[in-house]
Amino acid sequence: MISAVIYKKNLNKFGEEVCGDNFQLGKTEDSKIAVMSDGLGSGIKASILSILTTEIISTMFKKGVDVEEVVHTIANTLPVCKVRGIAYSTFTIVQIFRNGMVKLVNYDNPKPIILKKGQLYWPTYQEKIINDKKIKISTFTLDPEDFIFVMSDGVVHAGLGNLMDFGWGIENIAGYLKRMYRRTRDIKYMVDNLIAVTESYYGFEAGDDATLVGLKITEKPRAIIFTGPPLDPKKDSYYVEKFTKFDGKKIISGGTTSNIVSRITGNEMEIDLTSTSSKELPPYGHMENVDLVTEGVLTLKALNKLLSECKNNMYEIDFDKKNINAADNMFLILRDCDEIKIMVGRKVNAFYHNPALPFDMSIRSNLVRDIVKNLQRVGKDVEIEYC
Amino acid sequence: MVISICVGTTCHLLGSSSLVEAINELPEKYLNNVSIKYSTCFDVCHGQMKPPIAKIDDKLYDDLSPDKIKKIIIAMVGDN
């Protein structure tokens, strides 16, 4: 199964409070849709125009309308500026299907840059004239670790009349991204870096709104967290089997839980002595066929704290990669996933009621409920199973 | 001598992370005889034993403090 990790960053035109570009993420049963729109001009007028465009497009997708039909509606409703003879807003739609097929629709935005196995890939576009508007549509397939970058013309025109005659241009940007691919595959780093360069080409006073949306094609967009021992010990092996057969990233959170999995699968758990442990969080480890093993309640509490710091998406927090603890690690795994399943054991650990503990250990299921709420807020599909 | 220190929730809360630091402070002649491992819950803390708990060569020790574990190691290595 194919999905994508999506990260966006934008610059506002110098002196403007809002960005005239807008970006929205949508989903259908078998695909993920990213829509980026650039409103004519800048400031609040452009912002409203672009929000209108992305909103119409994503709402229609949610209702199950086909791409062509959506484009038709948008092309027919988008007004054209009387003075300049250009449309009030331009847009790009990327639809990524679970089987790896990608549908790209572009109307007057710069050509999206695609990196296929590290090489630049320029698909052939089919042109359709809908209500006098030239819409470019292309369909192709991508594999995990391929990238698509969608941008507004503000990025392409950076440096125009300032450092360069015609701005840094799509070919130069493509070359820059290709070179960056050799150093890193981190989508956040790539987008942040390119926007930083764009801003410097503008002399730190952007002449236009500039938005860059990076899409990294990934595999296995699902994760499962197994936390807490099942209420009925007789059912341990049933749940462990369910856990190990799960197709996706696997996380165990809880000492007793990892002992149960280790006992039933026969795989020994290894706690990394060099993993970062601190006064707050115990260290983490690995087990064969399991991506991460951590302590339970404290780590989940720390994870929930991280999640509640994110307003809209999980890219709002930066990590020092050399120094990440168990909760950071779990956060990073979940960030790359679309669907998260949590298996919560209901057996109560008798020691948690001991008054010797320094603070109240909130019941695991309450904590999990908060985590689920936060994960849903940042756009994840969460399924919970009590066992 | 293999020392497995429990890093489960309760042991951690009651100070198991300071045990590793304490062991690493020991003079080299003791450290050379010791290999430290982290372990998940030994599942004994809801009975008679009080965290933090460590297993030294198949024997469990409970209610450890940095000083206590140092003394145990010094005594055991000294005997050998």
Side-chain angles (χ1 to χ4, degrees):
Chain A
M1 261 199 318
I2 297 291
S3 181
V5 182
I6 299 167
Y7 176 68
K8 174 218 97 168
K9 190 161 173 117
N10 64 276
L11 289 174
N12 294 358
K13 182 179 176 180
F14 184 68
E16 292 289 356
E17 293 286 329
V18 293
C19 186
D21 302 339
N22 192 265
F23 167 71
Q24 268 211 23
L25 209 56
K27 258 182 234 164
T28 66
E29 239 167 51
D30 60 347
S31 71
K32 215 171 189 181
I33 302 146
V35 187
M36 200 272 291
S37 169
D38 180 356
L40 181 69
S42 62
I44 200 78
K45 186 190 82 180
S47 178
I48 292 171
L49 286 169
S50 61
I51 290 172
L52 208 69
T53 311
T54 52
E55 196 66 44
I56 293 172
I57 295 175
S58 25
T59 311
M60 286 186 78
F61 270 124
K62 266 179 220 158
K63 300 279 177 207
V65 183
D66 177 47
V67 175
E68 320 260 320
E69 189 68 27
V70 172
V71 173
H72 211 266
T73 310
I74 284 289
N76 278 319
T77 46
L78 263 188
V80 170
C81 177
K82 274 192 190 127
V83 185
R84 296 194 239 178
I86 47 177
Y88 273 115
S89 88
T90 61
F91 61 84
T92 306
I93 305 169
V94 186
Q95 187 173 22
I96 296 161
F97 290 89
R98 287 198 168 179
N99 59 9
M101 201 179 89
V102 179
K103 193 159 199 174
L104 206 67
V105 180
N106 193 11
Y107 173 53
D108 262 9
N109 272 338
K111 262 189 292 186
I113 295 169
I114 297 157
L115 284 171
K116 202 170 178 171
K117 295 194 170 51
Q119 298 301 317
L120 291 168
Y121 172 70
W122 305 103
T124 43
Y125 290 90
Q126 196 193 342
E127 283 188 359
K128 275 198 178 170
I129 311 286
I130 303 174
N131 199 14
D132 292 340
K133 297 183 181 75
K134 208 193 275 172
I135 314 267
K136 291 177 176 172
I137 302 175
S138 180
T139 311
F140 48 92
T141 54
L142 288 180
D143 295 311
E145 298 287 301
D146 289 343
F147 291 83
I148 306 175
F149 294 92
V150 174
M151 66 205 80
S152 64
D153 57 358
V155 179
V156 184
H157 294 156
L160 183 78
N162 180 6
L163 291 166
M164 292 162 255
D165 287 342
F166 301 105
W168 74 323
I170 200 86
E171 272 77 25
N172 292 329
I173 298 172
Y176 186 81
L177 284 168
K178 190 181 160 190
R179 283 198 299 281
M180 195 144 57
Y181 175 91
R182 291 190 209 135
R183 258 186 292 142
T184 178
R185 310 276 161 89
D186 182 345
I187 190 75
K188 182 175 192 293
Y189 179 88
M190 291 171 104
V191 171
D192 283 347
N193 186 305
L194 198 99
I195 285 290
V197 176
T198 306
E199 192 172 21
S200 68
Y201 277 168
Y202 271 123
F204 300 97
E205 292 185 3
D208 191 3
D209 301 312
T211 300
L212 178 67
V213 181
L215 298 98
K216 180 184 181 181
I217 310 295
T218 54
E219 210 173 2
K220 271 200 190 178
R222 304 168 75 209
I224 187 168
I225 305 173
F226 188 9
T227 178
L231 192 60
D232 180 3
K234 277 182 234 141
K235 284 195 172 159
D236 281 359
S237 52
Y238 166 75
Y239 287 112
V240 169
E241 194 181 337
K242 207 167 178 184
F243 173 74
T244 48
K245 285 210 173 130
F246 183 84
D247 178 26
K249 295 267 184 198
K250 299 187 192 75
I251 302 169
I252 302 173
S253 180
T256 317
T257 319
S258 57
N259 285 346
I260 292 173
V261 177
S262 169
R263 192 188 71 223
I264 290 167
T265 60
N267 294 327
E268 213 167 299
M269 121 131 218
E270 275 171 42
I271 303 174
D272 196 356
L273 261 177
T274 55
S275 79
T276 312
S277 71
S278 59
K279 286 275 176 292
E280 292 84 43
L281 285 188
Y284 55 89
H286 303 272
M287 202 190 280
E288 205 185 308
N289 194 25
V290 178
D291 298 274
L292 178 68
V293 184
T294 73
E295 173 277 339
V297 183
L298 298 174
T299 310
L300 289 179
K301 214 170 196 160
L303 173 75
N304 191 40
K305 188 166 169 279
L306 286 173
L307 285 170
S308 45
E309 281 167 18
C310 302
K311 266 195 232 138
N312 297 314
N313 68 65
M314 289 172 78
Y315 282 100
E316 288 162 22
I317 302 178
D318 270 324
F319 291 100
D320 175 7
K321 282 257 159 83
K322 283 181 218 123
N323 196 18
I324 53 175
N325 64 28
D328 300 343
N329 217 322
M330 207 189 297
F331 184 90
L332 289 173
I333 292 178
L334 298 182
R335 189 167 77 178
D336 287 347
C337 294
D338 295 343
E339 290 168 24
I340 296 155
K341 181 172 175 160
I342 309 180
M343 268 164 57
V344 192
R346 284 173 300 170
K347 197 169 163 192
V348 176
N349 187 336
F351 200 85
Y352 290 176
H353 298 299
N354 192 319
L357 288 179
F359 58 83
D360 165 52
M361 306 281 299
S362 71
I363 304 166
R364 195 188 298 266
S365 53
N366 285 352
L367 191 53
V368 169
R369 208 172 302 148
D370 288 348
I371 290 176
V372 171
K373 238 183 260 165
N374 280 322
L375 281 172
Q376 284 168 336
R377 194 168 41 80
V378 293
K380 307 287 179 192
D381 284 334
V382 190
E383 186 196 335
I384 189 162
E385 181 178 353
Y386 291 97
C387 49
Chain B
M1 178 171 25
V2 181
I3 306 177
S4 308
I5 295 169
C6 175
V7 287
T9 311
T10 45
C11 285
H12 179 83
L13 282 174
L14 295 173
S16 70
S17 63
S18 61
L19 298 180
V20 184
E21 287 166 29
I23 296 171
N24 282 326
E25 281 167 10
L26 285 170
E28 235 170 65
K29 67 164 180 167
Y30 297 109
L31 276 183
N32 290 340
N33 286 301
V34 171
S35 82
I36 311 171
K37 252 174 62 180
Y38 284 134
S39 163
T40 50
C41 192
F42 294 117
D43 223 3
V44 289
C45 53
H46 41 74
Q48 295 298 313
M49 294 201 130
K50 191 173 178 299
I53 296 169
K55 190 154 110 181
I56 305 178
D57 289 342
D58 294 330
K59 191 171 176 243
L60 290 166
Y61 294 82
D62 75 333
D63 201 9
L64 290 167
S65 66
D67 280 343
K68 213 166 155 183
I69 196 158
K70 274 192 206 170
K71 275 180 197 152
I72 294 172
I73 294 168
I74 291 170
M76 287 179 83
V77 176
D79 287 347
N80 288 338

